[in-house]
Amino acid sequence: MPFDTTSRFVPLSAPEISGNEWKYVRECLDSGWVSSSGPLVERFERAVAEAVTTAHAVATVNGTAALHVALLGAGVEPEDEVIVPALSFVATANAVRYCGAHPVFVDVDAATWGIDASKVADFLDRECAWDGQRLTDRTTGRRVRALLPVHLLGHPVDADPLLTAARRYGLAVIEDACEALGAHYRDRAVGRLGDAGCFSFNGNKVVTAGGGGVVVTDDEALARRVRHLTLQAREPGGEYVHDAVGFNYRLTNVCAAVGLAQIERLAEFLKRKRRIAERYRRSFVDFPAVQCMPVAPWASPSHWLFTIRLRGPASGTSADLVARLQEAGIEARRLWRPLHLLPMYYEARRGRLDEAEAVYQDAVSLPSSVGLAPGDQDHVIDHVLRFVSEALRR
Ligand SMILES: *Cc1c(COP(=O)(O)O)cnc(C)c1O
């Protein structure tokens, strides 16, 4: 069947704005509270805390800022080291650098595409020295302070062994859950597995606020520090007295209005994203050249971006597939180039990163919008299968 490729455009991850967004934004504008104080920011924070079942939530201007202040709030200081997976969006490592600390890149595992807990334990046990108080990287002499695992593409990391290793050495665990709102690890919501979790409400994430972020935690003192830092570290009272170098990181009430309306629909969005993922899986099951991203038995992912890995003769053609889909009006993309292959991190401390490079080499993320129509999904599936069957014939 010929497809009309001139008019059709299938985006990678478009927001669905069809709930109370207009109503809450109008309320916000009518109230005159448009900036970073206002009742909607607090309602938005409460809604996120409820969704993740944490005691506290602090809204920020975006997910990157959430990571930055969560690391500071957890005690990361200049010249510390923070353990980060090599395969992630650049913001994960940048947030560490904003603190003046240094990322240590660890490989991902094939079962989750998240940080490999056994390689983290290897690094801590073999490369570091523990004096009962302080964990020191023997090569650099720096203090290792925190783990920053990423729930990649909405799939939770295998958290229990990471938490065990962190506890052994007194390390903080901050989750980069920016892609994983609503995902669960065993029966626990991601974002509340470690000391604090960070979410993004960027336009292409599971739910959006236009732009926004949230730090969630059960630790009241940590929540207080984080909130203080997002408000320019201003002391309470009517005067402008500040006790630290803070940041202008608080979310605006206008964005919170959008975010609040979106959060109300989280359960429905997650269900629709799961159906999209299942449909891709069913369609690709008979094609070994198209390997679907893994789902661990204990995982309940957010299914943020459904991602395939090209295998066999199709291996090495991910850029070609993205280009081919583009010609057909389909927005697909490769994964982020692993962080140690970006110029500002060439010199970063790292182990072997074979799996991160292998996944990156062959992965392509496919359209996964909540509102993806079955006909548009068929269009995507058809083009992927045509592409791999040509690759097999070559
Ligand atoms: C989106 C994202 C971020 C940053 O969130 P922003 O809201 O865009 O600043 C951080 N880490 C990961 C893994 C992300 O996907």
Side-chain angles (χ1 to χ4, degrees):
M1 185 176 85
F3 287 99
D4 175 7
T5 53
T6 50
S7 63
R8 203 192 284 246
F9 174 68
V10 186
L12 183 73
S13 182
E16 169 142 324
I17 311 285
S18 55
N20 285 322
E21 288 85 355
W22 275 111
K23 177 168 175 276
Y24 294 157
V25 169
R26 184 166 295 117
E27 258 176 59
C28 171
L29 297 182
D30 286 345
S31 77
W33 293 99
V34 295
S35 194
S36 27
S37 40
L40 288 157
V41 186
E42 279 149 43
R43 278 170 68 190
F44 175 61
E45 288 177 333
R46 268 202 307 281
V48 176
E50 263 169 42
V52 190
T53 67
T54 53
H56 309 281
V58 180
T60 59
V61 286
N62 54 52
T64 310
L67 290 168
H68 180 191
V69 283
L71 290 168
L72 291 174
V76 172
E77 293 179 356
E79 297 307 314
D80 282 348
E81 288 184 347
V82 176
I83 295 174
V84 172
L87 189 62
S88 183
F89 179 53
V90 70
T92 313
N94 286 353
V96 174
R97 291 297 298 131
Y98 297 165
C99 301
H102 300 273
V104 174
F105 295 123
V106 172
D107 208 0
V108 298
D109 66 46
T112 66
W113 295 2
I115 198 162
D116 185 325
S118 67
K119 289 181 182 164
V120 171
D122 272 357
F123 173 78
L124 301 176
D125 295 342
R126 294 184 194 174
E127 307 273 331
C128 300
W130 172 240
D131 67 3
Q133 295 247 318
R134 176 192 158 106
L135 189 69
T136 305
D137 180 340
R138 283 203 299 256
T139 304
T140 60
R142 293 180 182 135
R143 176 175 80 150
V144 182
R145 186 65 195 94
L147 307 185
L148 183 52
V150 180
H151 306 297
L152 204 81
L153 301 166
H155 188 293
V157 296
D158 191 2
D160 282 338
L162 281 175
L163 293 168
T164 304
R167 238 174 263 127
R168 188 157 60 232
Y169 297 116
L171 304 178
V173 178
I174 306 299
E175 294 166 65
D176 181 341
C178 283
E179 302 167 359
L181 183 66
H184 284 71
Y185 172 69
R186 305 188 189 278
D187 59 351
R188 286 170 277 160
V190 307
R192 61 177 300 259
L193 305 171
D195 298 282
C198 302
F199 295 103
S200 166
F201 295 86
N202 184 20
N204 71 6
K205 295 292 166 45
V206 181
V207 304
T208 186
V214 167
V215 179
V216 294
T217 182
D218 282 328
D219 181 337
E220 192 185 341
L222 197 156
R224 208 176 322 113
R225 282 196 298 279
V226 165
R227 186 179 301 275
H228 188 60
L229 286 171
T230 64
L231 290 163
Q232 303 277 28
R234 184 177 166 193
E235 292 187 347
E239 299 207 24
Y240 282 79
V241 181
H242 308 258
D243 59 14
V245 178
F247 305 91
N248 181 12
Y249 272 0
R250 188 148 175 86
L251 189 70
T252 68
N253 215 36
V254 183
C255 290
V258 177
L260 181 62
Q262 288 265 300
I263 282 271
E264 291 175 348
R265 305 185 64 198
L266 177 62
E268 177 202 344
F269 284 8
L270 288 168
K271 196 185 296 171
R272 283 156 68 181
K273 284 184 99 72
R274 193 181 68 230
R275 288 211 193 104
I276 290 165
E278 285 166 356
R279 200 151 183 276
Y280 276 129
R281 275 177 204 287
R282 280 199 305 277
S283 307
F284 295 140
V285 72
D286 294 327
F287 300 87
V290 182
Q291 186 185 74
C292 296
M293 58 189 292
V295 181
W298 38 258
S300 169
S302 69
H303 303 288
W304 176 52
L305 289 184
F306 188 82
T307 302
I308 56 171
R309 196 166 164 181
L310 297 169
R311 307 317 302 260
S315 178
T317 62
S318 53
D320 300 334
L321 174 58
V322 170
R324 175 71 69 82
L325 293 174
Q326 176 95 40
E327 282 164 23
I330 297 164
E331 188 186 13
R333 70 179 195 202
R334 300 183 66 185
L335 282 186
W336 314 275
R337 181 166 299 181
L339 298 167
H340 64 290
L341 301 177
L342 304 180
M344 59 288 192
Y345 296 118
Y346 284 164
E347 308 294 326
R349 180 106 165 88
R350 61 187 179 92
R352 293 186 61 91
L353 301 170
D354 300 338
E355 191 65 26
E357 290 182 12
V359 172
Y360 163 68
Q361 190 56 43
D362 287 328
V364 175
S365 297
L366 299 177
S368 305
S369 307
V370 165
L372 179 65
D376 283 347
Q377 191 174 4
D378 286 343
H379 179 60
V380 176
I381 292 163
D382 181 73
H383 277 275
V384 170
L385 291 179
R386 264 200 253 174
F387 176 87
V388 295
S389 67
E390 282 167 29
L392 296 182
R393 281 199 298 271
R394 272 201 297 271

mmCIF file of all heavy atoms in Angstrom, residues 62-65 67 88-89 91-92 150 176 178-179 200-202 204-205 212 304 336, ligand 1:
data_model
loop_
_atom_site.group_PDB
_atom_site.id
_atom_site.type_symbol
_atom_site.label_atom_id
_atom_site.label_comp_id
_atom_site.label_asym_id
_atom_site.label_seq_id
_atom_site.Cartn_x
_atom_site.Cartn_y
_atom_site.Cartn_z
ATOM 1 N N ASN A 62 13.969 23.298 35.589
ATOM 2 C CA ASN A 62 14.089 22.171 34.644
ATOM 3 C C ASN A 62 14.767 20.991 35.348
ATOM 4 O O ASN A 62 15.179 21.106 36.516
ATOM 5 C CB ASN A 62 14.859 22.565 33.367
ATOM 6 C CG ASN A 62 16.215 23.169 33.669
ATOM 7 O OD1 ASN A 62 17.016 22.592 34.399
ATOM 8 N ND2 ASN A 62 16.477 24.340 33.121
ATOM 9 N N GLY A 63 14.867 19.884 34.649
ATOM 10 C CA GLY A 63 15.432 18.676 35.248
ATOM 11 C C GLY A 63 16.925 18.816 35.529
ATOM 12 O O GLY A 63 17.437 18.249 36.500
ATOM 13 N N THR A 64 17.619 19.561 34.677
ATOM 14 C CA THR A 64 19.057 19.750 34.875
ATOM 15 C C THR A 64 19.320 20.492 36.186
ATOM 16 O O THR A 64 20.208 20.106 36.970
ATOM 17 C CB THR A 64 19.650 20.544 33.689
ATOM 18 O OG1 THR A 64 19.234 19.931 32.463
ATOM 19 C CG2 THR A 64 21.149 20.590 33.745
ATOM 20 N N ALA A 65 18.527 21.546 36.434
ATOM 21 C CA ALA A 65 18.651 22.295 37.693
ATOM 22 C C ALA A 65 18.298 21.403 38.877
ATOM 23 O O ALA A 65 18.930 21.496 39.945
ATOM 24 C CB ALA A 65 17.734 23.524 37.660
ATOM 25 N N LEU A 67 18.829 18.199 39.123
ATOM 26 C CA LEU A 67 20.012 17.364 39.376
ATOM 27 C C LEU A 67 21.086 18.161 40.119
ATOM 28 O O LEU A 67 21.700 17.672 41.075
ATOM 29 C CB LEU A 67 20.585 16.837 38.059
ATOM 30 C CG LEU A 67 19.755 15.777 37.327
ATOM 31 C CD1 LEU A 67 20.290 15.571 35.907
ATOM 32 C CD2 LEU A 67 19.778 14.456 38.098
ATOM 33 N N SER A 88 23.998 8.287 28.788
ATOM 34 C CA SER A 88 22.901 9.125 29.291
ATOM 35 C C SER A 88 22.890 10.413 28.497
ATOM 36 O O SER A 88 23.806 10.691 27.708
ATOM 37 C CB SER A 88 23.078 9.438 30.780
ATOM 38 O OG SER A 88 21.967 10.185 31.274
ATOM 39 N N PHE A 89 21.863 11.206 28.745
ATOM 40 C CA PHE A 89 21.824 12.566 28.228
ATOM 41 C C PHE A 89 22.901 13.372 28.958
ATOM 42 O O PHE A 89 23.188 13.129 30.137
ATOM 43 C CB PHE A 89 20.426 13.142 28.461
ATOM 44 C CG PHE A 89 20.246 14.547 27.989
ATOM 45 C CD1 PHE A 89 20.564 14.903 26.690
ATOM 46 C CD2 PHE A 89 19.744 15.518 28.845
ATOM 47 C CE1 PHE A 89 20.388 16.208 26.256
ATOM 48 C CE2 PHE A 89 19.559 16.824 28.415
ATOM 49 C CZ PHE A 89 19.884 17.173 27.119
ATOM 50 N N ALA A 91 23.112 16.130 30.357
ATOM 51 C CA ALA A 91 22.791 16.880 31.583
ATOM 52 C C ALA A 91 23.220 16.122 32.834
ATOM 53 O O ALA A 91 23.565 16.746 33.849
ATOM 54 C CB ALA A 91 21.296 17.187 31.643
ATOM 55 N N THR A 92 23.194 14.799 32.797
ATOM 56 C CA THR A 92 23.563 13.997 33.966
ATOM 57 C C THR A 92 24.990 14.333 34.411
ATOM 58 O O THR A 92 25.241 14.606 35.591
ATOM 59 C CB THR A 92 23.452 12.492 33.643
ATOM 60 O OG1 THR A 92 22.210 12.235 32.993
ATOM 61 C CG2 THR A 92 23.567 11.650 34.893
ATOM 62 N N VAL A 150 20.872 6.477 36.281
ATOM 63 C CA VAL A 150 19.868 7.038 35.369
ATOM 64 C C VAL A 150 18.903 5.928 34.965
ATOM 65 O O VAL A 150 19.344 4.853 34.524
ATOM 66 C CB VAL A 150 20.545 7.607 34.102
ATOM 67 C CG1 VAL A 150 19.506 8.196 33.150
ATOM 68 C CG2 VAL A 150 21.586 8.654 34.477
ATOM 69 N N ASP A 176 18.682 9.997 38.678
ATOM 70 C CA ASP A 176 18.249 10.779 37.524
ATOM 71 C C ASP A 176 17.061 10.025 36.931
ATOM 72 O O ASP A 176 17.212 9.106 36.132
ATOM 73 C CB ASP A 176 19.381 10.934 36.505
ATOM 74 C CG ASP A 176 18.966 11.776 35.301
ATOM 75 O OD1 ASP A 176 17.752 11.932 35.082
ATOM 76 O OD2 ASP A 176 19.861 12.263 34.581
ATOM 77 N N CYS A 178 14.672 11.515 35.256
ATOM 78 C CA CYS A 178 14.072 12.522 34.372
ATOM 79 C C CYS A 178 13.166 11.906 33.304
ATOM 80 O O CYS A 178 12.230 12.543 32.840
ATOM 81 C CB CYS A 178 15.172 13.357 33.711
ATOM 82 S SG CYS A 178 15.857 14.573 34.861
ATOM 83 N N GLU A 179 13.464 10.664 32.902
ATOM 84 C CA GLU A 179 12.691 10.027 31.835
ATOM 85 C C GLU A 179 11.698 9.016 32.388
ATOM 86 O O GLU A 179 11.056 8.298 31.622
ATOM 87 C CB GLU A 179 13.677 9.307 30.883
ATOM 88 C CG GLU A 179 14.698 10.269 30.309
ATOM 89 C CD GLU A 179 15.864 9.580 29.619
ATOM 90 O OE1 GLU A 179 15.899 8.329 29.586
ATOM 91 O OE2 GLU A 179 16.743 10.298 29.113
ATOM 92 N N SER A 200 12.169 15.457 35.121
ATOM 93 C CA SER A 200 12.103 16.544 34.144
ATOM 94 C C SER A 200 10.695 16.646 33.591
ATOM 95 O O SER A 200 10.037 15.626 33.363
ATOM 96 C CB SER A 200 13.083 16.274 32.994
ATOM 97 O OG SER A 200 12.798 17.143 31.903
ATOM 98 N N PHE A 201 10.265 17.888 33.356
ATOM 99 C CA PHE A 201 8.957 18.138 32.750
ATOM 100 C C PHE A 201 9.126 18.929 31.460
ATOM 101 O O PHE A 201 8.312 19.769 31.108
ATOM 102 C CB PHE A 201 8.042 18.840 33.771
ATOM 103 C CG PHE A 201 7.756 17.953 34.946
ATOM 104 C CD1 PHE A 201 8.632 17.900 36.026
ATOM 105 C CD2 PHE A 201 6.664 17.107 34.945
ATOM 106 C CE1 PHE A 201 8.404 17.046 37.096
ATOM 107 C CE2 PHE A 201 6.424 16.246 36.005
ATOM 108 C CZ PHE A 201 7.288 16.214 37.083
ATOM 109 N N ASN A 202 10.212 18.613 30.765
ATOM 110 C CA ASN A 202 10.485 19.170 29.451
ATOM 111 C C ASN A 202 9.376 18.736 28.473
ATOM 112 O O ASN A 202 8.643 17.780 28.749
ATOM 113 C CB ASN A 202 11.863 18.649 29.013
ATOM 114 C CG ASN A 202 12.312 19.241 27.696
ATOM 115 O OD1 ASN A 202 11.827 20.278 27.269
ATOM 116 N ND2 ASN A 202 13.243 18.569 27.033
ATOM 117 N N ASN A 204 9.263 17.033 25.840
ATOM 118 C CA ASN A 204 9.229 15.684 25.254
ATOM 119 C C ASN A 204 9.206 14.569 26.312
ATOM 120 O O ASN A 204 9.277 13.400 25.963
ATOM 121 C CB ASN A 204 10.400 15.487 24.278
ATOM 122 C CG ASN A 204 11.749 15.375 24.978
ATOM 123 O OD1 ASN A 204 11.817 15.334 26.206
ATOM 124 N ND2 ASN A 204 12.805 15.328 24.200
ATOM 125 N N LYS A 205 9.088 14.915 27.569
ATOM 126 C CA LYS A 205 9.113 13.877 28.602
ATOM 127 C C LYS A 205 7.725 13.259 28.809
ATOM 128 O O LYS A 205 6.787 13.613 28.114
ATOM 129 C CB LYS A 205 9.694 14.454 29.898
ATOM 130 C CG LYS A 205 11.182 14.861 29.762
ATOM 131 C CD LYS A 205 12.091 13.679 29.586
ATOM 132 C CE LYS A 205 13.509 13.919 29.133
ATOM 133 N NZ LYS A 205 14.314 14.935 29.697
ATOM 134 N N GLY A 212 10.422 22.247 33.217
ATOM 135 C CA GLY A 212 10.319 22.159 34.669
ATOM 136 C C GLY A 212 11.062 20.948 35.181
ATOM 137 O O GLY A 212 11.465 20.068 34.408
ATOM 138 N N TRP A 304 9.215 5.634 28.082
ATOM 139 C CA TRP A 304 9.340 7.011 27.581
ATOM 140 C C TRP A 304 9.560 7.035 26.062
ATOM 141 O O TRP A 304 8.730 7.552 25.328
ATOM 142 C CB TRP A 304 10.480 7.735 28.302
ATOM 143 C CG TRP A 304 10.711 9.101 27.759
ATOM 144 C CD1 TRP A 304 9.759 10.075 27.583
ATOM 145 C CD2 TRP A 304 11.935 9.659 27.303
ATOM 146 N NE1 TRP A 304 10.335 11.202 27.041
ATOM 147 C CE2 TRP A 304 11.661 10.971 26.865
ATOM 148 C CE3 TRP A 304 13.247 9.174 27.227
ATOM 149 C CZ2 TRP A 304 12.660 11.809 26.347
ATOM 150 C CZ3 TRP A 304 14.235 10.005 26.734
ATOM 151 C CH2 TRP A 304 13.932 11.313 26.297
ATOM 152 N N TRP A 336 21.951 9.112 22.720
ATOM 153 C CA TRP A 336 22.994 10.092 22.977
ATOM 154 C C TRP A 336 24.363 9.431 22.804
ATOM 155 O O TRP A 336 24.583 8.312 23.279
ATOM 156 C CB TRP A 336 22.907 10.612 24.402
ATOM 157 C CG TRP A 336 21.514 10.962 24.791
ATOM 158 C CD1 TRP A 336 20.864 12.148 24.558
ATOM 159 C CD2 TRP A 336 20.573 10.109 25.459
ATOM 160 N NE1 TRP A 336 19.588 12.062 25.040
ATOM 161 C CE2 TRP A 336 19.383 10.841 25.591
ATOM 162 C CE3 TRP A 336 20.625 8.808 25.938
ATOM 163 C CZ2 TRP A 336 18.248 10.318 26.201
ATOM 164 C CZ3 TRP A 336 19.503 8.277 26.549
ATOM 165 C CH2 TRP A 336 18.331 9.029 26.674
HETATM 166 C C1 LIG B 1 15.696 15.309 30.014
HETATM 167 C C2 LIG B 1 16.779 14.788 30.844
HETATM 168 C C3 LIG B 1 17.464 15.596 31.750
HETATM 169 C C4 LIG B 1 17.321 17.086 31.841
HETATM 170 O O1 LIG B 1 16.043 17.570 31.954
HETATM 171 P P1 LIG B 1 15.716 19.052 31.420
HETATM 172 O O2 LIG B 1 14.368 19.297 32.017
HETATM 173 O O3 LIG B 1 15.706 18.984 29.934
HETATM 174 O O4 LIG B 1 16.750 19.974 31.960
HETATM 175 C C5 LIG B 1 18.433 15.014 32.561
HETATM 176 N N1 LIG B 1 18.716 13.708 32.469
HETATM 177 C C6 LIG B 1 18.090 12.903 31.604
HETATM 178 C C7 LIG B 1 18.469 11.456 31.568
HETATM 179 C C8 LIG B 1 17.121 13.416 30.740
HETATM 180 O O5 LIG B 1 16.544 12.616 29.843
#
